[in-house]
Amino acid sequence: MEVIIEQLEEQMIVTLKGDLDTAVSMEVEKKMEPVFNCFDSDLIIDCAELTYISSSGLRILLTIYKHMHEIGRQATLRHLSEDVSDVLTIGGVLQLFQVEP
């Protein structure tokens, strides 16, 4: 699992590549630390290369959503595959985020 974080002017972009499952969830949470230390940017999570997400991955997204909601910033999911979108929908997570094609 690869996590790439870029800080632009008023946006932070997190690109997820690979499978976000239980085996990598602790590592991904550590890599997401800049997201939780950011209070002045909206967040875009680019899922174009996210091939799989497990319940551990859903928990990470919920934690990100809660942080962004608490600081009054926007969280957006971008480029969701049909499979990932289905898992997020079933898990009740998709409705929390803004979604872009």
Side-chain angles (χ1 to χ4, degrees), residues 23-75:
V24 298
S25 65
M26 294 294 282
E27 176 187 341
V28 170
E29 281 188 76
K30 288 178 186 174
K31 289 181 179 179
M32 291 288 195
E33 190 172 315
V35 172
F36 299 111
N37 291 327
C38 183
F39 295 93
D40 59 355
S41 297
D42 289 331
L43 177 67
I44 295 173
I45 302 173
D46 190 331
C47 301
E49 296 182 59
L50 180 64
T51 53
Y52 173 79
I53 188 165
S54 71
S55 58
S56 296
L58 293 177
R59 184 181 50 77
I60 291 170
L61 290 181
L62 280 172
T63 303
I64 289 170
Y65 170 79
K66 287 178 184 178
H67 170 72
M68 298 305 290
H69 183 72
E70 287 173 1
I71 65 170
R73 302 303 284 190
Q74 187 68 44

Side-chain angles (χ1 to χ4, degrees), residues 12 14 16 20 32 43-48 50 53 57-58 60-62 64-65 74-81 84-85 87-89 92-101:
M12 180 176 286
V14 174
L16 302 175
L20 182 48
M32 291 288 195
L43 177 67
I44 295 173
I45 302 173
D46 190 331
C47 301
L50 180 64
I53 188 165
L58 293 177
I60 291 170
L61 290 181
L62 280 172
I64 289 170
Y65 170 79
Q74 187 68 44
T76 302
L77 298 174
R78 181 183 285 170
H79 304 133
L80 293 171
S81 70
V84 171
S85 180
V87 172
L88 295 175
T89 300
V93 175
L94 189 62
Q95 65 191 11
L96 300 174
F97 289 86
Q98 295 292 321
V99 179
E100 293 180 358

